[in-house]
Amino acid sequence: MAAHRSGPLKQQNKAHKGGRHRGRGSAQRDGKGRLALKTLSKKVRKELSRVDQRHRASQLRKQKKEAVLAEKRQLGCKDGPPHQVLVVPLHDRISLPEAFRLLQDKDTGTVHLNEWGSTHSFMLLCPRLKHRWFFTSARPGDLHTVLDMAKVADTILFLLDPLEGWDSTGDYCLSCLFAQGLPTYTLAVQGVSGLPPRKQIDARRKLTKTVEKRFPDDKLLLLDTQQEADMLLRQLANQKQRHLAFRDRRAYLFAHAADFVPSEENNLVGTLKISGYVRGQALNVNSLLHIIGQGDFQMKQIDAPMDPFPLNPRMMKSQKDPSMAMEICTPDAIADMEEDPKVLMKADSDKQESLQTEVIPDPMEGEQTWPTEEELSEANDFLKKSPRLVKKVPKGTSSYQAEWILDEDGESSGEDESDDMEHEDFIEEESQDEGSEKEEEEEYETMTVGESVRDDLYDENVDDEAEEKMLEKYKQERLQEMFPDEVDTPRDVAARIRFQKYRGLKSFRTSPWDPKENLPQDYARIFQFQNFTNTRKRIFKEIEEKEVEGAEVGWYVTLHVSKVPVSVYEYFKRGAPLIAFSLLPHEQKMSVLNMVVSRHSGHTEPVKAKEELIFHCGFRRFRASPLFSQHTAADKHKFQRFLTADVALVVTVYGPITFPPASVLLFKQNSNGMHSLIATGYLLSVDPDRMVIKRVVLSGHPFKIFTKMAVVRYMFFSREDVLWFKPVELRTKWGRRGHIKEPLGTHGHMKCSFDGKLKSQDTVLMNLYKRVFPKWTYDPYVPEPVPWLKKEISLAVPEMDME
């Protein structure tokens, strides 16, 4: 039997390379105990058993539960600040005095009334619940008061109408509060008991559907009887607290009392004494204090007087009426008991933050120094060596003026005589004797050879009147198309002068642009971080880990604020709330703020860039003129002339440094004095290097089309403009790209080359770019708005919660 022989298609396997292979054991012996870098840097994960994993998860749950309980117990207890509740009626039919009457029950606890101006407030001390509340109120029409008091309130109590829930004013107020960031809130309905019994169930069912649009999965509480008021108080005391990030990292204070001591030099400026409870973080006397709507100030000292509203006050029974024991304990009586409060901390001039907001620019910085003697001697030697040229100039021309006289080709004649003879484009012959100097008219003999032989013939066929009519038609067509960023080339000013600050880019996304190039003078006044993100992380880490010396959270203190105008005290006496926030390092300095905003759906009027708007950024309120730009991840961002309604844009303004997160609200003051909400968003960054690039599109029409060549007109109107913009790339609406070859004639026609054949209905475009900067119109003073009317408020509102 013959043996099997493999054919030509037999599989051939690779031979084993045993000699080159090195096993793991030999590699370890050669390494002599050394480990790779990845092995050393890799974090060792300790494997836990199932029992240990369950135990660890149980410990984490227990820690979180204890933290929530500790936060609940601290708020409103004897060692913590009172539980501040802001009561906001959302309908005109709601009776605010009736709601306060139910909450001010003598059986519940002690009530301390406090009335300043139109704002009513009272302190409720309840030893039975081991809790104390501070109730304040604000009408939805007074927008600034509602937003300012919501920044420091622990809980907002919304009072709803049983039939409609809220009216248009209340809806507008909710829109602003959602955009700013809601703290803990509770919904209460007033007036259900006044309806017929058959309609109460239907009213509650309809109200629940209405409320679900804004407050999903929230229960409605009733506030018509004393029993329902007690249930509401228990709900407020046991509710889980929601946090607002911009106030949790700063110390803030709501003024319960204030006093003004004028200075000796000027009665209009003095020391303002603000008394209240410290909240958020511990308050250091060396930090700066920002009073909302008034500005930044320094503190002299912090006093620690006796708490005027202790949870368990000392009983001072009256001899006439022992039942009035709980109501006699007033802040004035306690203040009389302790005339000299304890000085807690005084400011240290070496450690105190400065009030400097801007950099004082040096006008001589970067200027050229005076030249040395060696440089002057070198310049003189160079002038002696340079040949003297013979020029034909008008009479009375000095030697300095003769240097600036241009030849016919537009170039200066500061070259050698031998070089001029080599050029064949321009030839000048001088024929003038010494005796002809007194002649009034000067004779010039010049011969010019153009770039194209057909230039003179080309201009003969141009009809100026037809060109004007055709141009007007194309302008009307452009207006119908509404092409973005397209502008008309001016005819009274040369395009090279009108657009001299613009440049062309090969690619808007990838072409380089130096952020430090051609900065305005205002950039010398602002501060810039070397790395804003790292600075923010470092400051926030110090807040969490480092212990601050000063007034602890929950202490009742008196702040001595220096150099405060008397108008701030008068503002407080009129009934307006006085709220102070401590500033983090660098937050008093000016820089460039970038904010991401979305247009409010209820605002339909166009908002143009560089219009003056009112900003609510975190705890600050100011006026500025912003720029709008696209929100992209690139290094260059295209300027937007209007605030668009479909996409989010970035707003760029000059303003004081604020570390995000912080909510942003944009208002526009109308001619009648009211403020209308136009956009909401959040603070993105503090970065002066963020480049906002404005685009201008010049358009032209193909006049004659060849294979890949075309004659384009109406983009420019002079030969010099065509030569000036010749290096800039062209594009068309249908995707062709090209460049200018040469000008034709003197009317701005030009010969262009493209990467494909053009269509007759196509349009030739040229993109020009320049960097734009915001205007310095920052003003910390914002006038009080006129209260809103129901008819002038829009209903549709986007909801945003900055938590």
Side-chain angles (χ1 to χ4, degrees):
M1 184 176 179
H4 173 71
R5 294 181 180 180
S6 58
L9 301 178
K10 182 179 181 296
Q11 177 179 348
Q12 297 290 335
N13 295 327
K14 285 186 176 181
H16 181 61
K17 302 177 182 179
R20 301 180 185 178
H21 178 70
R22 187 172 65 157
R24 185 173 57 183
S26 61
Q28 291 178 356
R29 286 192 298 270
D30 295 342
K32 296 180 180 179
R34 292 190 295 266
L35 296 176
L37 185 62
K38 278 189 176 182
T39 308
L40 291 173
S41 61
K42 189 176 181 180
K43 186 177 179 181
V44 180
R45 293 186 59 185
K46 187 177 180 181
E47 296 294 337
L48 299 177
S49 62
R50 285 192 174 182
V51 178
D52 293 338
Q53 290 177 2
R54 292 174 182 173
H55 182 60
R56 184 182 179 183
S58 174
Q59 286 180 330
L60 292 176
R61 285 196 301 269
K62 187 177 180 181
Q63 290 176 1
K64 291 182 180 179
K65 186 176 181 180
E66 290 177 354
V68 172
L69 291 176
E71 184 181 4
K72 286 184 181 179
R73 292 165 184 162
Q74 185 182 9
L75 183 62
C77 68
K78 62 178 182 177
D79 297 329
H83 191 153
Q84 186 163 342
V85 181
L86 173 62
V87 182
V88 180
L90 296 179
H91 203 282
D92 286 341
R93 290 198 292 262
I94 293 175
S95 175
L96 190 61
E98 178 65 20
F100 274 18
R101 186 189 64 80
L102 293 174
L103 296 173
Q104 296 172 3
D105 185 31
K106 297 180 180 179
D107 298 335
T108 306
T110 309
V111 177
H112 298 288
L113 298 177
N114 184 12
E115 295 188 6
W116 2 289
S118 59
T119 304
H120 301 276
S121 64
F122 66 93
M123 184 74 71
L124 178 61
L125 307 177
C126 184
R128 178 169 53 89
L129 297 177
K130 298 180 180 180
H131 208 84
R132 54 179 177 172
W133 291 272
F134 178 61
F135 286 90
T136 59
S137 63
R139 286 287 177 181
D142 193 359
L143 191 60
H144 280 185
T145 303
V146 173
L147 293 178
D148 291 346
M149 298 187 72
K151 294 172 184 175
V152 296
D154 298 314
T155 303
I156 299 181
L157 176 59
F158 293 112
L159 299 182
L160 307 179
D161 182 73
L163 298 178
E164 299 180 5
W166 51 73
D167 55 10
S168 57
T169 309
D171 185 79
Y172 178 77
C173 178
L174 286 177
S175 306
C176 300
L177 289 175
F178 270 103
Q180 180 177 265
L182 269 182
T184 308
Y185 61 88
T186 301
L187 306 177
V189 185
Q190 186 188 58
V192 176
S193 60
L195 298 176
R198 295 181 179 179
K199 294 185 178 180
Q200 290 183 6
I201 299 177
D202 294 338
R204 293 187 65 175
R205 187 183 298 111
K206 292 180 181 178
L207 184 61
T208 302
K209 292 183 179 180
T210 304
V211 170
E212 280 182 353
K213 298 177 182 178
R214 282 197 177 272
F215 305 98
D217 302 329
D218 284 329
K219 295 182 179 180
L220 297 176
L221 302 178
L222 301 179
L223 186 59
D224 291 327
T225 63
Q226 190 59 51
Q227 185 179 3
E228 293 170 351
D230 293 342
M231 293 179 60
L232 178 61
L233 290 176
R234 290 183 178 273
Q235 170 69 15
L236 294 176
N238 299 325
Q239 205 171 14
K240 182 181 178 181
Q241 295 298 312
R242 302 174 67 183
H243 296 274
L244 295 180
F246 74 89
R247 75 180 186 185
D248 286 344
R249 295 185 175 92
R250 300 171 177 86
Y252 58 96
L253 179 141
F254 181 86
H256 290 262
D259 190 16
F260 183 77
V261 180
S263 61
E264 299 178 356
E265 296 83 5
N266 190 359
N267 293 332
L268 299 178
V269 178
T271 301
L272 181 65
K273 297 181 180 180
I274 305 175
S275 299
Y277 294 91
V278 180
R279 301 171 184 268
Q281 296 288 334
L283 179 60
N284 192 339
V285 71
N286 293 320
S287 61
L288 296 180
L289 200 69
H290 175 78
I291 300 177
I292 294 182
Q294 306 298 333
D296 303 336
F297 304 96
Q298 288 180 334
M299 291 181 284
K300 287 184 179 179
Q301 69 181 37
I302 299 178
D303 297 340
M306 180 183 292
D307 191 346
F309 308 108
L311 187 58
N312 296 313
R314 284 175 287 183
M315 305 288 278
M316 298 174 59
K317 292 187 178 181
S318 175
Q319 296 179 357
K320 297 181 180 180
D321 189 2
S323 63
M324 299 293 293
M326 299 296 289
E327 298 181 2
I328 294 177
C329 186
T330 60
D332 296 334
I334 296 177
D336 294 338
M337 293 171 57
E338 187 177 8
E339 298 180 356
D340 299 327
K342 177 183 176 183
V343 178
L344 188 64
M345 193 176 184
K346 287 191 176 183
D348 187 358
S349 58
D350 297 333
K351 298 180 180 179
Q352 196 170 28
E353 290 281 344
S354 173
L355 283 173
Q356 181 184 5
T357 59
E358 301 177 15
V359 180
I360 302 176
D362 184 8
M364 299 301 296
E365 185 178 3
E367 291 292 330
Q368 184 179 2
T369 57
W370 189 258
T372 60
E373 295 181 0
E374 296 179 357
E375 293 174 345
L376 291 174
S377 61
E378 290 178 0
N380 292 331
D381 296 339
F382 177 76
L383 290 176
K384 292 178 181 178
K385 293 179 181 179
S386 59
R388 296 183 62 84
L389 303 177
V390 179
K391 276 189 178 181
K392 174 166 288 199
V393 296
K395 289 183 182 180
T397 304
S398 63
S399 60
Y400 174 77
Q401 292 173 337
E403 293 291 336
W404 291 92
I405 293 180
L406 303 178
D407 293 336
E408 294 296 330
D409 60 346
E411 297 180 355
S412 178
S413 59
E415 299 178 354
D416 260 349
E417 220 172 342
S418 58
D419 296 336
D420 293 338
M421 297 299 294
E422 293 178 1
H423 294 285
E424 297 180 358
D425 295 340
F426 299 95
I427 302 174
E428 287 190 4
E429 295 183 358
E430 180 177 340
S431 58
Q432 184 177 4
D433 298 331
E434 295 180 358
S436 61
E437 294 179 356
K438 297 181 181 180
E439 295 180 2
E440 295 181 359
E441 296 181 1
E442 298 173 350
E443 298 179 359
Y444 295 90
E445 184 177 354
T446 305
M447 181 176 67
T448 305
V449 180
E451 295 181 2
S452 177
V453 183
R454 298 175 298 172
D455 278 355
D456 297 336
L457 301 177
Y458 186 87
D459 291 337
E460 295 177 358
N461 300 325
V462 175
D463 188 358
D464 295 338
E465 187 176 355
E467 293 271 328
E468 290 287 339
K469 292 182 180 179
M470 190 63 65
L471 174 62
E472 192 64 24
K473 291 182 180 179
Y474 278 111
K475 282 185 178 180
Q476 295 175 2
E477 187 179 4
R478 293 296 166 277
L479 291 176
Q480 295 295 327
E481 292 176 355
M482 296 294 292
F483 188 82
D485 301 328
E486 185 174 341
V487 297
D488 294 331
T489 306
R491 304 202 62 179
D492 54 345
V493 181
R496 63 186 183 278
I497 298 176
R498 168 64 180 83
F499 304 110
Q500 60 184 348
K501 294 183 179 180
Y502 290 82
R503 68 180 71 176
L505 295 178
K506 180 71 176 177
S507 172
F508 182 79
R509 184 179 62 88
T510 60
S511 296
W513 196 309
D514 187 7
K516 304 297 184 183
E517 175 187 355
N518 295 332
L519 298 178
Q521 189 66 27
D522 291 335
Y523 264 53
R525 303 166 56 185
I526 64 174
F527 292 85
Q528 182 179 6
F529 293 98
Q530 189 173 3
N531 192 323
F532 176 73
T533 305
N534 290 350
T535 304
R536 173 177 168 271
K537 289 181 180 179
R538 176 182 58 81
I539 292 176
F540 285 177
K541 189 175 181 181
E542 290 178 357
I543 294 173
E544 297 175 357
E545 298 178 355
K546 190 176 180 181
E547 294 184 1
V548 179
E549 297 180 1
E552 296 293 335
V553 177
W555 290 5
Y556 186 82
V557 297
T558 299
L559 309 180
H560 294 249
V561 188
S562 59
K563 298 181 180 179
V564 180
V566 68
S567 59
V568 180
Y569 180 64
E570 295 175 351
Y571 177 77
F572 174 75
K573 288 177 63 178
R574 290 198 301 266
L578 193 62
I579 299 169
F581 273 83
S582 68
L583 298 181
L584 299 179
H586 313 295
E587 282 196 329
Q588 78 279 11
K589 301 173 182 176
M590 295 291 292
S591 188
V592 178
L593 306 183
N594 301 307
M595 315 168 188
V596 179
V597 299
S598 299
R599 184 170 171 177
H600 182 242
S601 59
H603 188 82
T604 57
E605 297 180 1
V607 180
K608 196 174 182 180
K610 299 183 181 180
E611 287 186 10
E612 187 179 67
L613 301 178
I614 298 171
F615 288 77
H616 285 247
C617 180
F619 55 88
R620 292 187 183 272
R621 186 169 67 232
F622 58 89
R623 291 186 295 174
S625 300
L627 293 180
F628 302 140
S629 60
Q630 292 180 349
H631 183 32
T632 59
D635 60 338
K636 296 181 288 295
H637 312 273
K638 195 172 81 67
F639 170 76
Q640 296 289 327
R641 290 173 171 81
F642 291 91
L643 183 63
T644 56
D646 50 349
V647 294
L649 298 180
V650 176
V651 173
T652 303
V653 292
Y654 289 113
I657 295 172
T658 304
F659 291 103
S663 58
V664 174
L665 283 77
L666 268 65
F667 292 88
K668 185 177 180 180
Q669 186 169 359
N670 302 328
S671 57
N672 55 4
M674 293 191 299
H675 294 176
S676 58
L677 180 66
I678 62 173
T680 59
Y682 60 92
L683 180 62
L684 178 64
S685 64
V686 180
D687 185 13
D689 287 342
R690 187 181 186 275
M691 293 184 291
V692 180
I693 308 299
K694 182 179 181 180
R695 185 181 71 170
V696 165
V697 180
L698 305 180
S699 60
H701 183 261
F703 181 45
K704 295 179 181 179
I705 301 176
F706 303 99
T707 307
K708 288 189 177 181
M709 303 287 291
V711 178
V712 180
R713 59 180 178 177
Y714 303 145
M715 183 177 288
F716 303 108
F717 300 99
S718 66
R719 182 188 187 91
E720 291 77 10
D721 290 342
V722 176
L723 294 173
W724 179 269
F725 291 100
K726 186 177 180 181
V728 184
E729 186 182 20
L730 300 176
R731 68 176 181 90
T732 68
K733 288 187 176 181
W734 287 25
R736 296 298 182 189
R737 291 185 176 273
H739 59 276
I740 301 173
K741 295 289 289 183
E742 61 177 358
L744 297 176
T746 60
H747 288 73
H749 292 207
M750 54 188 181
K751 186 188 296 183
C752 303
S753 173
F754 295 92
D755 57 357
K757 188 174 181 179
L758 292 186
K759 301 293 184 180
S760 59
Q761 63 270 30
D762 204 351
T763 305
V764 181
L765 305 174
M766 176 183 289
N767 293 340
L768 300 176
Y769 304 92
K770 79 167 182 178
R771 185 178 178 184
V772 291
F773 302 90
K775 292 183 179 180
W776 191 291
T777 58
Y778 171 77
D779 186 3
Y781 174 72
V782 178
E784 290 294 325
V786 176
W788 276 91
L789 301 176
K790 293 203 303 182
K791 296 181 180 180
E792 302 192 12
I793 301 174
S794 56
L795 296 178
V797 176
E799 299 181 1
M800 179 186 299
D801 190 1
M802 296 296 300
E803 186 173 348

